[in-house]
Amino acid sequence: EAQNGLRGEYYQNPGWNSPYRAFNNATVNYTSFPTANFPDTNSDDLSVRWLGSVVAPGTGASIVVTFYFRTDDGGRVWVNGQLVVDQWVYQGIPGQPGPSGTITLVPGRKYDIVCEMFEGGGGEGAILEWSYTGQTQILIPNGSLRAQVSTPQFNIASGAYTDTQLLTLRCPTAGSAIEVNTGAGYVAYTGPISVNATSTILARATRPGVPTS
């Protein structure tokens, strides 16, 4: 079962290829990071990645949401695979509003979210916020975040078919793998699957250390 919050991966350098420690973070709200989050005590040249899902706020058919990511140093945010914040520069934590971007979402629906930041020297921190109709800029709350892999997405449009179709699956969560079950248990997804009107396909996405979708 998914936990509220986001999975935080804390790397000892800005290249995402060093040993790291991972934690479930309730929110992204840091004006400095606990030294214990990292593999050693070096406080410079760090990087952090948070990933999981965000539940779109509001009511109605759609809502325009502005995401803000205030970081020291650079930061960027993807929502539903779309880069909405891109401020990959050396800087201190900006005051509000800070770097931002907008995206149209469906209220109540979960969307994949990935946040990345690097720190090159001096202070460090990261604050993830949003605003939308009726709500000024605030920290994205714990209850709107899910530390899990996104559900696999498929490419067949709705409708009636009289012949066999090829089903292609993808998962937007970085580093994830898809497993499918056509009746004989879950196996690794390796490419398009032939389906017809009587086919039943189960799919799930996995990523080491993150709850399965």
Side-chain angles (χ1 to χ4, degrees):
E1 181 179 352
Q3 299 174 327
N4 284 2
L6 294 177
R7 172 184 166 89
E9 297 178 344
Y10 293 80
Y11 292 79
Q12 202 61 60
N13 67 39
W16 315 110
N17 54 8
S18 64
Y20 67 88
R21 290 180 176 172
F23 305 89
N24 183 56
N25 296 150
T27 60
V28 179
N29 185 25
Y30 298 96
T31 54
S32 64
F33 295 121
T35 302
N37 282 18
F38 295 92
D40 64 44
T41 57
N42 176 36
S43 60
D44 289 325
D45 298 316
L46 309 172
S47 56
V48 186
R49 175 185 289 129
W50 291 272
L51 68 160
S53 301
V54 59
V55 181
T59 59
S62 66
I63 188 168
V64 177
V65 181
T66 300
F67 287 84
Y68 308 85
F69 197 37
R70 300 189 286 129
T71 56
D72 180 353
D73 286 290
R76 52 197 179 197
V77 177
W78 290 264
V79 177
N80 198 34
Q82 177 179 324
L83 182 62
V84 295
V85 180
D86 187 9
Q87 185 79 356
W88 207 247
V89 299
Y90 289 95
Q91 62 180 14
I93 296 180
Q96 287 188 337
S100 65
T102 61
I103 186 172
T104 300
L105 305 175
V106 176
R109 183 173 295 178
K110 288 191 299 184
Y111 294 90
D112 184 70
I113 185 169
V114 178
C115 309
E116 293 181 345
M117 63 81 60
F118 79 92
E119 187 277 333
E124 78 278 340
I127 302 171
L128 179 63
E129 300 163 307
W130 65 7
S131 66
Y132 49 90
T133 302
Q135 176 60 65
T136 57
Q137 183 175 350
I138 59 166
L139 187 73
I140 299 181
N142 172 256
S144 296
L145 301 171
R146 304 286 187 273
Q148 70 177 87
V149 182
S150 291
T151 302
Q153 301 171 355
F154 60 90
N155 71 333
I156 293 182
S158 60
Y161 297 93
T162 59
D163 55 353
T164 298
Q165 300 289 312
L166 288 178
L167 176 68
T168 301
L169 297 168
R170 63 176 293 273
C171 180
T173 298
S176 63
I178 295 175
E179 298 177 346
V180 295
N181 183 349
T182 59
Y186 280 97
V187 297
Y189 170 73
T190 58
I193 302 169
S194 180
V195 297
N196 57 41
T198 62
S199 299
T200 298
I201 305 292
L202 301 178
R204 65 189 183 190
T206 63
R207 188 180 190 277
V210 185
T212 298
S213 65

